[in-house]
Amino acid sequence: MDIPDALSQRLREAQHILFFTGAGVSAESGIPTFRDAMSGLWSRFEATDLATPEAFARDPALVWGWYEWRRRKVLQAAPNPAHRAIAGFLRHAEVSVITQNVDDLHERAGSPVSAHLHGSLHAPRCFACGHPASYPPGVPEVAEGGERIEPPCCHRCGGPLRPGVVWFGESLPEADWGAAMAAIEDADMVLSVGTSSLVWPAAEIPVWASRRGACVVQVNPQPTALDEIATVSLRGPAGAILPALLESAYGRSGA
Ligand code: BV8
Ligand code: ZN
């Protein structure tokens, strides 16, 4: 992919790059994006309906099975060139990774993550008392077409465990939100990668950074609401565009 010289120059000169990522950055690792993760048993639901405390309270086994199916996909996946390119930028600039994703592929590619705005698939806790829990080792067995799985019980109170993600209607973790606000203060460049920019308040992050004067680059095969304010929107898959951006800025040796 040809990267405009002016953009390569801006990247090379950037002091603090904020990567704001969504499910699209993990798509080429074979992980269905948030809105595509509704197959089989769950295909009759909207993701935004199932990712709620009410859905879990109504049918814990349906929701727990969905998250176990997604966790299985993540455990079987590997970081892709997009995750690795983001880790490559760490050698050249100060980098903050602010992700909406609940997988750990940024970390497995070598990028510390400043904020998991929507929590993590790997940190279950009790739905009743909030007591932290852990998963047994290994990859959960879940039928590809989906199945209901009764959640395990909390060791402390016997309540059902829930995934450690932020559901719709729940507040974002304070520490992670604070880290995102701090990154916006410092960033002179934002790369918004693989997000439909449809979920608030996370979707505001590139907008607020732009208002502070940061250059905002969007990487997405599709247009999104961010097109209006992005300095430039690069249309294509993150797994191809991010390595091209890294090489265009720092050369083949720097990539
Ligand atoms: C809250 C965890 C308040 C669970 C998720 C205004 C202000 C504040 C809130 C609201 C508001 N308006 C509405 C709300 C409520 C709500 C909301 O935003 N609703 C939406 C549906 C309108 N927000 C909330 O409820 C938030 N909480 O506001 O609390 C509050 C305050 C005080 C007290 C109490 C409450 C909580 C939102 C968090 C929800 N949890 N995830 C789970 O994962 O199951 S969000 C979920 O959607 C994902 O995690 C992801 O973060 C998010 C967005 O999805 P994307 O990552 O963008 O993925 P998506 O599939 O949408 O798009 C993929 C993109 O990738 C596409 O554009 C595609 O083109 C692109 N792509 C595909 N392949 C590639 C690619 N790009 C690059 N390369 C490729 N190869
Ligand atoms: Zn409990």
Side-chain angles (χ1 to χ4, degrees):
M1 167 155 205
D2 282 337
I3 304 296
D5 289 344
L7 177 55
S8 307
Q9 184 70 17
R10 282 297 291 261
L11 269 172
R12 211 168 9 259
E13 291 164 357
Q15 299 299 308
H16 181 150
I17 304 174
L18 190 166
F19 286 93
F20 176 62
T21 65
V25 80
S26 299
E28 290 155 272
S29 297
I31 296 180
T33 63
F34 181 68
R35 282 157 183 76
D36 295 342
M38 307 315 292
S39 63
L41 169 69
W42 304 290
S43 54
R44 60 194 165 94
F45 298 97
E46 289 294 322
T48 45
D49 297 332
L50 221 47
T52 65
E54 294 77 18
F56 184 81
R58 200 171 35 247
D59 191 341
L62 178 78
V63 175
W64 183 262
W66 182 46
Y67 282 93
E68 283 296 86
W69 178 79
R70 290 172 60 192
R71 189 166 73 90
R72 175 181 174 81
K73 291 269 177 203
V74 170
L75 290 170
Q76 290 176 328
N80 69 57
H83 297 107
R84 288 198 295 274
I86 290 173
F89 277 93
L90 280 161
R91 295 195 294 273
H92 303 281
E94 191 186 342
V95 166
S96 298
V97 175
I98 307 291
T99 189
Q100 301 173 90
N101 296 341
V102 294
D103 65 51
D104 59 346
L105 293 182
H106 281 304
E107 291 90 337
R108 285 160 55 190
S111 288
V113 168
S114 310
H116 270 280
L117 296 175
H118 296 156
S120 165
L121 274 177
H122 301 293
R125 64 177 186 273
C126 177
F127 185 64
C129 75
H131 190 59
S134 55
Y135 289 107
V139 179
E141 286 298 327
V142 185
E144 188 47 33
E147 63 178 299
R148 297 156 55 86
I149 302 174
E150 286 303 331
C153 295
C154 167
H155 291 314
R156 188 164 76 176
C157 78
L161 296 191
R162 55 159 291 172
V165 299
V166 177
W167 277 327
F168 289 95
E170 295 185 323
S171 302
L172 277 57
E174 263 182 52
D176 295 77
W177 187 246
M181 294 303 103
I184 290 174
E185 293 286 314
D186 285 347
D188 52 352
M189 190 127 200
V190 173
L191 273 77
S192 177
V193 184
T195 180
S196 55
S197 302
L198 290 174
V199 171
W200 283 269
E204 295 278 54
I205 288 171
V207 178
W208 290 337
S210 169
R211 284 192 197 138
R212 293 187 50 77
C215 170
V216 176
V217 178
Q218 179 177 212
V219 176
N220 195 320
Q222 303 294 329
T224 76
L226 196 62
D227 282 32
E228 272 176 48
I229 66 108
T231 316
V232 57
S233 285
L234 301 174
R235 287 270 182 277
I241 293 178
L242 287 179
L245 284 171
L246 183 67
E247 186 174 331
S248 77
Y250 309 111
R252 188 172 292 277
S253 59

